[in-house]
Amino acid sequence: SAHHPGTFCFFIAVPASPRVVPMGPSPRMAVAAVAAAYLVFTQLRLRLLEYAIKIGKPVGPMWLPLTVTKVLKIWSWMNGVNVRSESGEGLECDRSRRYMMTWHPHGFIVYCPIFLMAEKAIRGEPVGAPWHCTGAPVLFKVPFIGELLQVLSGRPVDKRTLESIMAAGGTVAVQPGGMTEQKATRHDQELAIFPANLGFIRMAIKYGTPILMLYIFGENQLYKKVDGMEKFTDMLFKATGLALPLFTAKAGLPTAAFFPRATDIHARWGAPVEVGEPDENPSDEKVEEVFSRYLKELQRIFYANAQECLPPDVAARGLKIVRMDGKPVDELHAEDKPPVMRSRL
């Protein structure tokens, strides 16, 4: 050292501490966390659904489903789908009574009951009390669709659910043809399919509730059926439980459910079909008698409005009615059917 000769200075190099960079969760971990959170949310949602089914009433604040219905109606308007007219005896039904409600046709995806008619269910129109539109149980477990249906007071269409709601004094709306009719839906043929056991008729008789039906003209014309793909539809149904016929939507988009073709919708409510006093175990003869009057009212609604509310060629083909048990269908006599326009094709 310059200041202390004869001494040595030692310099020891100490390596600098490595800089610690905080590590965030990996994309895979983030996805797993979101999936786990959604599964927990879904379980809680389904528990809430079970509670709602048990009490037979809607749960939660009314502003939420009403807000959703506004959004759905705006989306429909943007796609050119609107309810142009609504009429029928059912709009003047006795609101002091309880009803079982039905609607026809099923359509490709049940568009109108969800996007255009759900507000009526929430507000209790026209029966004077909130009612539950029902759908395939599997749909309530499908992401987004399950949440949407539940927010709109939808319920699974299984016997346990229907019995629970009806026994609690609630009101349900069912589509008699269900997935069978959905798979057979066409844009150029109006169709009504009925199950072999006529369970909806039996349940209405059991609780003594008149049946109030709604025919939605234009539901089948929101999309166009793709022919030749029926085997694929059957395979999809067997694999997933979902009945989805292949179709094209606006601008020819394939199976684009949220983009329907611009269509005018006409809603027609029928007169209530009386079922008599409550009967726990109605005879087959009684069920058939009520069903016969139901079919007569269904056909009356259709033929009185088809010419005004459907494309001429579709109206000219009439309403095809199929019983899954193969029994013959009582059709209106020719003189009882209002004339419909002949096809322009």
Side-chain angles (χ1 to χ4, degrees):
S1 170
H3 299 286
H4 302 283
T7 62
F8 296 93
C9 293
F10 294 92
F11 296 91
I12 302 176
V14 179
S17 300
R19 185 178 180 183
V20 179
V21 180
M23 298 293 291
S26 67
R28 183 177 299 178
M29 292 175 60
V31 171
V34 171
Y38 180 74
L39 287 176
V40 172
F41 166 76
T42 300
Q43 291 302 315
L44 294 175
R45 175 176 65 80
L46 293 177
R47 287 186 182 182
L48 181 62
L49 178 61
E50 286 295 324
Y51 172 73
I53 291 171
K54 182 178 180 179
I55 65 174
K57 299 177 181 178
V59 295
M62 182 176 286
W63 64 264
L64 178 57
L66 289 178
T67 300
V68 173
T69 62
K70 297 297 183 185
V71 173
L72 296 177
K73 281 188 174 182
I74 291 173
W75 179 256
S76 295
W77 172 78
M78 293 174 62
N79 279 282
V81 180
N82 298 281
V83 177
R84 292 300 181 187
S85 66
E86 183 178 10
S87 62
E89 293 85 343
L91 291 175
E92 306 299 328
C93 65
D94 184 353
R95 293 192 166 205
S96 67
R97 304 180 70 186
R98 188 160 64 101
Y99 300 87
M100 171 178 278
M101 304 173 68
T102 62
W103 81 89
H104 300 274
H106 187 289
F108 289 94
I109 65 163
V110 192
Y111 184 94
C112 292
I114 296 174
F115 282 76
L116 298 176
M117 311 299 290
E119 184 177 358
K120 288 186 173 295
I122 296 163
R123 295 189 182 278
E125 299 173 355
V127 296
W131 44 277
H132 303 286
C133 192
T134 59
V138 66
L139 294 176
F140 289 82
K141 298 179 181 179
V142 177
F144 179 73
I145 296 177
E147 286 82 9
L148 177 62
L149 295 178
Q150 192 165 331
V151 165
L152 298 177
S153 290
R155 298 291 183 264
V157 64
D158 55 67
K159 184 176 181 180
R160 182 184 65 85
T161 297
L162 298 181
E163 288 279 6
S164 179
I165 295 174
M166 295 287 284
T171 300
V172 296
V174 300
Q175 208 295 314
M179 289 186 173
T180 301
E181 183 175 319
Q182 181 181 11
K183 292 192 294 182
T185 295
R186 300 189 57 85
H187 61 279
D188 53 5
Q189 175 66 67
E190 296 297 290
L191 174 70
I193 296 180
F194 293 93
N197 66 345
L198 299 175
F200 75 105
I201 297 287
R202 294 180 185 276
M203 188 168 293
I205 295 174
K206 177 178 179 178
Y207 292 97
T209 55
I211 305 173
L212 185 65
M213 76 177 73
L214 167 67
Y215 201 99
I216 306 175
F217 291 90
E219 174 75 46
N220 286 347
Q221 286 68 51
L222 293 169
Y223 309 95
K224 283 191 174 182
K225 173 73 177 293
V226 176
D227 288 320
M229 300 299 291
E230 290 76 16
K231 288 186 178 179
F232 176 82
T233 298
D234 290 337
M235 289 173 56
L236 179 66
F237 178 69
K238 291 178 181 178
T240 67
L242 297 174
L244 185 64
L246 294 188
F247 57 83
T248 57
K250 186 183 295 294
L253 294 172
T255 318
F258 288 93
F259 296 93
R261 302 164 63 232
T263 305
D264 289 340
I265 302 299
H266 302 275
R268 295 293 182 268
W269 296 86
V273 177
E274 298 292 340
V275 300
E277 294 297 318
D279 186 345
E280 181 79 19
N281 294 298
S283 65
D284 290 343
E285 291 74 18
K286 184 172 183 178
V287 171
E288 289 291 339
E289 188 275 329
V290 173
F291 182 57
S292 178
R293 289 189 285 109
Y294 181 93
L295 284 183
K296 186 174 182 180
E297 179 63 11
L298 171 62
Q299 293 177 88
R300 183 192 70 79
I301 297 171
F302 179 84
Y303 288 105
N305 296 281
Q307 180 176 344
E308 174 190 2
C309 302
L310 288 173
D313 56 309
V314 179
R317 294 187 181 98
L319 176 63
K320 182 179 179 181
I321 300 175
V322 178
R323 293 189 59 165
M324 293 179 65
D325 57 9
K327 292 181 180 179
V329 174
D330 293 331
E331 295 191 6
L332 291 179
H333 297 295
E335 60 270 18
D336 296 326
K337 295 181 180 180
V340 295
M341 297 176 65
R342 294 183 179 274
S343 172
R344 295 179 181 175
L345 300 179

